[in-house]
Amino acid sequence: MAVRINPSILAADFVNMQRDLHAISTADFVHVDVMDNHFVPNLTFGPQMVERIQAVSPIPLDVHLMIEDVDRWAPPYADLGCFSVTFHAEATLEPVKLARELRKLGARAGIALKPGTAVDDYLEILEEFDQVLVMTVEPGFGGQKFISAVMPKLSALARARNSTGADVWLQVDGGVTAETIAIAAESGADTFVAGSSVFNADSIPSAIETLRETARAHQHDNL
Ligand code: DX5
Ligand code: ZN
């Protein structure tokens, strides 16, 4: 099984963004947290900043939209050419329609679930998405503690993926460290977002490598 490590630039130095993007060049994707101060109580970047990040980043962009009104605002990120665009299930009434639109625009379509959002409705329509993001903290801020109580959602997704053969990546985001990544990998995740544990490390490349090796060591097929 594959392992993807996506450092979150929410933990980068915003005035040294280009430097920090180069510092994570051994990772698979750069995770870009877009927040609008409405869906979550925090504000980060909009499309102009994301366009510049994309222009200078050595690795492709995994955009996580923590914004309202995604039916209107998600497609422009796909138009920019971002590799993947993930919107929150709680922010749209028509997730399948939006996912199809994002795919049509050439992006991978992701759907994100807050810790309190049930996964059941999505298990039967997994093939509509390229990625499901299971939040392991309440969205809004970096540096929070990993909520292991959401792991059953991940195992349910992993089982549904195995039984349907859907080609969907299972992502975790929030509180991912060299310790908690083991639990997430055991539960079926293959794509791991890590902000503070990467950017606060003494060596960013070693932190990325340790996360990758630990996840690999804990992945298994019996879910
Ligand atoms: C939280 C964001 C995360 C955040 C993770 O709302 O979606 O991507 O950057 O940060 P850490 O890894 O510090 O929990
Ligand atoms: Zn995120």
Side-chain angles (χ1 to χ4, degrees):
M1 243 193 285
V3 166
R4 299 167 203 97
I5 305 295
N6 302 5
S8 165
I9 47 155
L10 188 61
D13 177 351
F14 284 12
V15 296
N16 284 292
M17 189 55 83
Q18 191 165 8
R19 178 199 70 189
D20 283 1
L21 286 165
H22 281 273
I24 56 168
S25 61
T26 56
D28 297 278
F29 300 95
V30 52
H31 184 81
V32 182
D33 287 309
V34 173
M35 305 186 186
D36 66 353
N37 227 355
H38 290 273
F39 184 76
V40 287
N42 197 1
L43 184 66
T44 56
F45 336 102
Q48 279 182 305
M49 182 68 179
V50 172
E51 189 171 17
R52 288 297 299 144
I53 290 170
Q54 174 152 276
V56 302
S57 176
I59 52 177
L61 271 58
D62 169 43
V63 174
H64 176 193
L65 301 175
M66 283 160 279
I67 62 174
E68 290 178 352
D69 206 0
V70 281
D71 304 291
R72 177 171 177 197
W73 296 117
Y77 289 91
D79 262 335
L80 286 179
C82 298
F83 179 82
S84 84
V85 177
T86 298
F87 57 86
H88 267 266
E90 305 84 5
T92 176
L93 294 172
E94 299 187 292
V96 170
K97 183 171 174 240
L98 180 55
R100 287 181 182 173
E101 189 179 347
L102 295 173
R103 281 176 165 177
K104 218 162 141 188
L105 292 169
R108 286 174 61 87
I111 186 160
L113 307 176
K114 295 208 291 191
T117 302
V119 72
D120 312 61
D121 289 352
Y122 305 100
L123 297 176
E124 281 164 24
I125 51 166
L126 269 189
E127 71 283 355
E128 296 286 349
F129 306 103
D130 298 298
Q131 166 165 293
V132 179
L133 195 182
V134 174
M135 289 299 301
T136 38
V137 297
E138 284 302 331
F141 299 92
Q144 303 181 74
K145 198 167 167 287
F146 183 87
I147 305 172
S148 51
V150 305
M151 290 301 103
K153 290 204 282 192
L154 212 50
S155 326
L157 283 162
R159 281 194 303 269
R161 175 174 64 178
N162 288 353
S163 64
T164 61
D167 181 16
V168 59
W169 297 357
L170 303 182
Q171 185 176 61
V172 284
D173 182 11
V176 173
T177 64
E179 285 76 45
T180 59
I181 199 169
I183 309 164
E186 272 161 19
S187 304
D190 51 43
T191 307
F192 306 87
V193 176
S196 32
S197 70
V198 167
F199 282 100
N200 296 345
D202 292 335
S203 160
I204 289 178
S206 329
I208 292 168
E209 206 39 42
T210 303
L211 288 170
R212 201 190 297 286
E213 290 310 316
T214 311
R216 275 204 189 116
H218 286 84
Q219 277 184 331
H220 57 90
D221 290 326
N222 313 316
L223 290 152

